[in-house]
Amino acid sequence: MNKKFLVTIYFVFISAIVFTQGLGDIKNLDISSLSDEQIATYWGRIQKEGYSMSQLETLAKAQGVSASKVAEFKRRVYGLNTVDKQAKNLTDSTPITSDVSEAYGVQADKVIGKKKNTNAPFGYDFFNNSKISFTPSVNIAVPDNYQIGPGDELMIDLWGASEITYTARVDRRGNIKINGVGFIYVNGFSLEAARKKISTKLKKKHAGIGAPKDSYSHISTNITVSKIRTVQVNIIGEVKAPGTYALNSLSTVLNALYVAGGPNKMGTFREVKLVRKNETIATLDIYDYLLDGTQKGNFKLQDQDVLLVGPYQNLVTVEGAVKRTGIYELKEGQTLSDLIAYFGGFTSKAYTDLLILERLDGTQKVVKEVKLSEASQFEIKAGDKILVQEVLDRYKNKVTVLGEVYRPGNYELLPNMTLRGLLLKADGITPEAFLTRGIITRNYDNTYQENIPFSVAAILAEKTDIDLQNNDVVQIFNKDNLREPRTILVQGAVNKPDTLAFVSKMQIEDVIALSGGLKEGADPNNITISRRLKDGSFKTLSKLFTLSSETNLALNNGTPFYIEPFDQINVRSLKGYAAQQYVKVTGQVNYSGAYVLENKNERISDLVKRAGGLTEFAYLKGATLFRKIEDNPIKKLIYNVESEDVGVDKLKEFSKSNVTSIGIDLEKIMQNPGADSDLILLEGDELVIPEIKETVQVSGEVLVPSLVKYRKEYRLKDYVNSSGGFTDAAKKSKIFVRYSNGQIKTVSRFLFFTFYPKLAPGADVFIPTKVAKEKMSTQEVLGITSSIATLALIIRSLTQ
């Protein structure tokens, strides 16, 4: 029997150790910061261990977890929607006992930064805000009217002829005990009255207390409350967390309500009753505190007080142009004026002449119209809904002028105001205004509009005028916006060819000056102007003029020639004028560098001679001519190869520029200068003559890309084999060779024969990569086969 008892104690002890490890989480964590899912997970873990909420409280107390933290955890569990009451081991009648000296308020639902609960009565979110603390301060001096009771601790300081400090705790009978004095009954006394009684009792032991203040034997006293007691308060009714709470004795009705989370959505905010000794001694109206800051009925609590929160009285909904929309609770007999005070009045856009009210009338709803002047006599009933509309978004005395006036915008419509008067108010029209036509857009009750055209010039000249009406909109157009933008085009031998805005009375010298002046080599006597025709002829496209201009842009003393809109001016260059043109030769010549072309027929052989001829190391078969062109043909060659090809990086990089290589036979050119193979040089050409190379580069899909020594007897495959041979991914049919002079040759086929390019020193061999082809899986093959078989059976059945 003893062994079984010891084993049982052992398992209980082990279980307690394991469980209390979990309790440490409550002690160390801020429960208010945990989510509902975390609280539910933790509570589920406790239940799996086989513990109830009461056992949790007992073990938590043994581990030093504060009662307030346990109470907060219980409130969080109690507020979970996903956990039923049986699983929580709680019922609606389960009291929650809390010592709130450390934490105040239901913190499960923090509303800071969250959207306001629009379906709850006014004041509901106030008690959900964990950032507001209603904890009564215990560090301030206790007021003289504080009522002393069991549990309070008094501190009695004596100084002067005698210095001593007594601390005495009020026992359950209401007495304090002082050594040498005895018991003193102070229960129910105010602190001020208790001071007098205690001082009187102390005179028996310390006679100097009664001595005159100027006497050397005088003893001064100071009696304060060093520790205040806790009181048990029952909070019942329509609150979020009803129960019994341990509060400090400085707590008030509002403090207790905040601890219990405040009234729930069914609770009243207008009549919270404080019941003491079976009698209602005070009633707190929370609206008075929230709206006016008054605390009538917010009494300090005593032990065994009861707070009773009943159901709400009359709920009224307010919507529209008010300062605080929402649901408000009104008492019986309160009027619309009271409600207006609750929602803070109307916004600046509110239409207050007539308020719309929806009311429940037995089996259906009715609509009533209430004038604001009747608000103090109009009684509000339960279920009423007030809708405050906004003023109309329209004006009753506005006219608008837009466009080319100096001060466009809205203006007040004065009696007998005319269009001319409005234009004068807007400081007149701008020089860009279109004078022939303006438009008035007139609105008729926002349902019909009418355009009224007028002549701006006639209005300003007082030849006619138009009376304006409310909401008229006057539009004055910009003359440039009503026609094609007028420009002139300047091109040719000017420093800044451009399209210029047309300006009246512009001459050719003005155009040249705006275009940066003439270039060096421009011919001022050969300036062509092309002008649009308006003669109705379909044969002639434009009219041409040829003019001369002063090179120093001096004023023309003769008959001026004015430019017209859309003219195109072309300044020609002098006949035969050309700037220096350069070509370049690099590599194996005696004097490499840039050379100026002497004439348009200069050829490659001429450039080599001017460069001092070839050196003994020149590799003529590898010579290449590079030329700048608009369209690089190497790009087409490179991009015709599959994008997966490898080994063409060098060509792709080269093809990005507008320079292409031209394969030449320099050996033949030097033997026969001036022949067709001896190309005429163009500006920007570069002749590159390399030195003799003895290698061939092999890259791409070979096992070891490398440089291989050139051998005359070697074929292409020999060079590939010298680089380890082809890889499995090599695409042999697309091999191409780039020679030193820029020429490119690819593999060719004829019938069943394959011809590979011959190699030369300095050549590059590129082996591209095969394009990967997806293979069908076994399931896909079976699916296609079965589909074909089914199709064959269908055809057979149809043909029989």
Side-chain angles (χ1 to χ4, degrees), residues 646-648 650 695-710 714-727 730 735-738 759-760 762-768:
V646 180
V648 296
K650 199 179 294 184
T695 59
V696 172
Q697 168 127 13
V698 183
S699 58
E701 290 299 332
V702 290
L703 293 177
V704 183
S706 57
L707 285 172
V708 182
K709 181 175 176 58
Y710 172 76
Y714 270 19
R715 297 177 301 170
L716 187 144
K717 283 190 176 182
D718 297 323
Y719 290 102
V720 172
N721 293 334
S722 298
S723 300
F726 295 109
T727 66
I735 297 174
F736 59 90
V737 177
R738 182 175 182 270
L759 277 298
D764 292 338
V765 180
F766 300 94
I767 297 92

Side-chain angles (χ1 to χ4, degrees), residues 666-679:
L666 187 57
E667 186 175 9
K668 184 177 180 182
I669 290 173
M670 298 307 297
Q671 292 174 357
N672 190 15
D676 292 341
S677 59
D678 191 4
L679 299 179

Side-chain angles (χ1 to χ4, degrees), residues 732-744:
K732 302 175 185 178
S733 61
K734 293 293 183 178
I735 297 174
F736 59 90
V737 177
R738 182 175 182 270
Y739 297 95
S740 297
N741 64 353
Q743 288 183 332
I744 295 176

Side-chain angles (χ1 to χ4, degrees), residues 27-40:
K27 187 176 181 180
N28 298 324
L29 292 178
D30 181 9
I31 294 177
S32 63
S33 65
L34 299 178
S35 64
D36 288 344
E37 291 76 8
Q38 291 172 317
I39 291 292

Side-chain angles (χ1 to χ4, degrees), residues 3 77 108 121-122 160 183 306 345 388 390 453 462 536 571 606 630 765:
K3 290 182 178 180
V77 173
F122 172 71
F183 290 96
V306 177
V388 181
E390 293 185 351
E462 300 186 53
V571 181
D606 299 326
E630 292 294 329
V765 180

Side-chain angles (χ1 to χ4, degrees), residues 99-322:
D99 177 5
V100 294
S101 60
E102 294 186 16
Y104 254 71
V106 173
Q107 300 183 19
D109 297 318
K110 293 185 178 180
V111 298
I112 292 297
K114 293 185 178 180
K115 188 176 180 180
K116 185 178 178 182
N117 192 339
T118 56
N119 295 324
F122 172 71
Y124 179 83
D125 290 325
F126 177 76
F127 290 97
N128 271 353
N129 192 349
S130 63
K131 301 299 181 182
I132 299 177
S133 176
F134 268 94
T135 308
S137 177
V138 295
N139 297 320
I140 62 174
V142 176
D144 290 341
N145 61 354
Y146 175 74
Q147 191 174 20
I148 297 174
D152 287 336
E153 185 178 274
L154 303 181
M155 179 179 289
I156 306 166
D157 287 327
L158 281 68
W159 71 94
S162 178
E163 292 189 4
I164 190 171
T165 298
Y166 296 101
T167 56
R169 187 180 181 86
V170 182
D171 60 21
R172 294 182 179 179
R173 297 181 180 180
N175 297 314
I176 60 172
K177 182 180 180 181
I178 302 176
N179 293 332
V181 177
F183 290 96
I184 304 174
Y185 185 78
V186 293
N187 184 38
F189 283 69
S190 67
L191 178 59
E192 184 177 11
R195 285 195 185 111
K196 295 178 181 179
K197 185 174 183 179
I198 294 172
S199 297
T200 301
K201 295 289 186 179
L202 285 173
K203 287 179 183 179
K204 296 179 181 180
K205 183 177 181 181
H206 303 280
I209 295 176
K213 291 185 178 181
D214 55 354
S215 172
Y216 72 91
S217 61
H218 176 73
I219 298 175
S220 300
T221 62
N222 182 37
I223 302 172
T224 59
V225 179
S226 58
K227 291 184 181 179
I228 59 177
R229 67 185 183 276
T230 59
V231 294
Q232 296 289 329
V233 178
N234 297 302
I235 306 175
I236 59 176
E238 300 298 335
V239 291
K240 294 173 187 172
T244 302
Y245 292 86
L247 312 174
N248 69 53
S249 55
L250 291 177
S251 300
T252 63
V253 175
L254 274 175
N255 299 143
L257 281 176
Y258 190 75
V259 173
N264 57 29
K265 292 184 179 180
M266 293 294 295
T268 179
F269 284 78
R270 309 304 306 277
E271 193 173 317
V272 179
K273 296 180 180 179
L274 173 59
V275 180
R276 183 174 294 165
K277 296 180 180 178
N278 299 324
E279 293 185 5
T280 302
I281 65 167
T283 300
L284 172 67
D285 188 340
I286 300 176
Y287 276 21
D288 289 343
Y289 175 75
L290 295 179
L291 298 172
D292 301 326
T294 59
Q295 300 192 45
K296 181 181 178 181
N298 188 27
F299 286 13
K300 285 187 173 62
L301 300 175
Q302 296 184 11
D303 195 40
Q304 301 306 316
D305 278 354
V306 177
L307 289 184
L308 176 61
V309 180
Y312 63 77
Q313 300 181 28
N314 300 323
L315 292 185
V316 179
T317 303
V318 181
E319 296 179 354
V322 297

